[in-house]
Amino acid sequence: MSEKLQKVLARAGKGSRRKMETVIAEGRVSVDGKVVGLGERVTENQVIRLDGFVVKYITEEATVCRVLAYNKPEGEVCTRSDEEGRKTVFERLPRLNGSRWISIGRLDINTSGLLLFTTDGEFANRMMHPSREVEREYAVRIFGEVDEAMLNRLRTGVKLEDGEAKFLAIKESGKEAGGEGINRWYHVVLTEGRTREVRRLWESQGVQVSRLMRVRYGHLHLDKQLPQGGWTELNLKEVNYFRKLVDMPKETESKVRVDDNKTKNTQARIRRAVKKHAQHRKSTERRRSTSRTRS
């Protein structure tokens, strides 16, 4: 039975299906020694290469869908590497053999909070697609005067440069850290992941977003005990909740031990890993600085 090439590449952990469509269109993929284009279908008996490297064909049945919840700090970018040497969200994640983590959407460099990763490219693609309408909730601190007319416009819809957008819900959060004077905290909900959509919606009303944090994705809330820069792997029940949301079959396997999920020992391990990474990062930056000084 044949499958779409971009689906096979995504399942192998090479990126989201949408990204693989771009890679194929750029002529970077060959099948049995011949460069192919979009629309190609393949079987497990064929040899697939991406940028000259063989891609292992993994059947859908053999794939275990793993999902990580990561507490992204401000200052990290959602790319695998950065030319400016900025920290990336992938640096802290656990290493994988024969696969890699794919981010489910992005958060910009100045946004913190809940970011999901998976090993299943097809799952990532469905989770990101606007048609699935998976809710995202953000805590946002606004600088400027906010009135009821403004909130009503944000609920009913405003025109942005890439089309109309709106919040499904807006709720003032009361007094939170840093919410004094002209600063006010709100919780907002939407089902899209357009670039800087939350910020652009508020800015369309003449106010500024001074802090932004994603606190929920679907029914999964950001664990308040999870430190910034820390991650935790979702158990089988949580993974299957999301798979059901996007019309994918249930998983029957998990890499998470039932007695190890979200325990005090797990939290301690996460904190140690975050601290170790921070120390390693500082050491690397010092070596780079010394090297530049000598040269």
Side-chain angles (χ1 to χ4, degrees):
M1 183 177 174
S2 65
E3 291 187 276
K4 289 183 178 179
L5 178 56
Q6 61 265 34
K7 187 175 179 180
V8 173
L9 291 170
R11 190 188 305 135
K14 301 305 179 184
S16 69
R17 193 169 66 180
R18 190 177 301 174
K19 182 179 178 181
M20 290 304 98
E21 289 173 352
T22 302
V23 167
I24 294 168
E26 291 172 348
R28 295 166 55 189
V29 182
S30 67
V31 177
D32 292 337
K34 180 182 177 182
V35 174
V36 295
L38 285 173
E40 187 74 13
R41 300 183 72 89
V42 294
T43 67
E44 57 183 313
N45 297 320
Q46 293 179 287
V47 179
I48 305 167
R49 284 186 168 86
L50 170 60
D51 294 334
F53 295 95
V54 174
V55 176
K56 185 179 179 181
Y57 192 111
I58 303 172
T59 63
E60 196 163 1
E61 295 75 18
T63 305
V64 176
C65 177
R66 300 175 65 181
V67 183
L68 292 184
Y70 178 66
N71 188 357
K72 176 190 176 297
E74 292 181 13
E76 289 186 355
V77 293
C78 291
T79 54
R80 295 189 184 277
S81 60
D82 184 70
E83 292 181 355
E84 299 177 29
R86 295 173 296 185
K87 298 177 184 178
T88 82
V89 294
F90 290 93
E91 290 180 20
R92 305 181 196 261
L93 304 186
R95 297 195 177 189
L96 297 171
N97 291 320
S99 184
R100 69 177 184 169
W101 296 111
I102 303 165
S103 63
I104 299 176
R106 296 187 174 195
L107 295 175
D108 68 42
I109 190 169
N110 296 318
T111 301
S112 62
L114 182 59
L115 184 61
L116 299 182
F117 294 86
T118 182
T119 54
D120 188 329
E122 175 64 16
F123 172 68
N125 183 68
R126 293 196 189 193
M127 285 285 287
M128 290 184 284
H129 202 281
S131 66
R132 301 294 172 173
E133 298 186 339
V134 182
E135 287 190 356
R136 290 93 153 159
E137 182 177 343
Y138 296 82
V140 51
R141 189 176 70 187
I142 302 302
F143 178 77
E145 295 292 339
V146 177
D147 57 32
E148 195 58 35
M150 180 190 300
L151 297 179
N152 285 333
R153 288 192 294 271
L154 291 172
R155 291 188 187 103
T156 56
V158 298
K159 240 182 183 179
L160 302 178
E161 57 269 28
D162 54 355
E164 191 173 275
K166 65 179 180 180
F167 294 127
L168 295 183
I170 309 174
K171 182 181 178 181
E172 189 167 5
S173 305
K175 285 191 175 182
E176 292 188 42
E180 299 177 354
I182 204 167
N183 289 292
R184 287 291 181 271
W185 279 93
Y186 292 86
H187 276 232
V188 299
V189 178
L190 40 69
T191 57
E192 295 181 306
R194 283 193 257 172
T195 303
R196 299 183 72 255
E197 187 171 3
V198 175
R199 294 180 187 275
R200 289 188 293 136
L201 273 165
W202 285 104
E203 288 167 2
S204 74
Q205 304 303 302
V207 295
Q208 291 182 330
V209 172
S210 55
R211 280 196 65 188
L212 183 60
M213 176 190 302
R214 185 191 283 163
V215 295
R216 179 171 64 86
Y217 205 118
H219 82 164
L220 183 70
H221 289 262
L222 179 64
D223 187 346
K224 292 181 180 180
Q225 294 185 349
L226 185 65
Q228 287 201 336
W231 57 266
T232 186
E233 185 161 356
L234 304 194
N235 62 30
L236 189 58
K237 182 179 178 180
E238 292 167 326
V239 170
N240 281 333
Y241 158 77
F242 280 114
R243 288 179 70 84
K244 184 178 180 181
L245 269 187
V246 295
D247 299 321
M248 293 189 75
K250 283 186 175 182
E251 277 290 341
T252 57
E253 295 181 57
S254 174
K255 299 292 186 181
V256 179
R257 286 185 1 217
V258 175
D259 62 347
D260 189 44
N261 189 51
K262 295 182 179 177
T263 63
K264 289 183 179 179
N265 289 337
T266 303
Q267 294 298 332
R269 173 181 53 76
I270 291 169
R271 292 183 184 280
R272 286 197 300 270
V274 171
K275 186 176 180 180
K276 183 178 179 181
H277 175 83
Q279 291 172 340
H280 174 73
R281 180 84 191 190
K282 285 181 180 178
S283 176
T284 302
E285 288 174 350
R286 280 198 298 268
R287 287 198 299 270
R288 287 176 179 171
S289 178
T290 303
S291 177
R292 285 195 295 268
T293 303
R294 288 175 178 174
S295 60

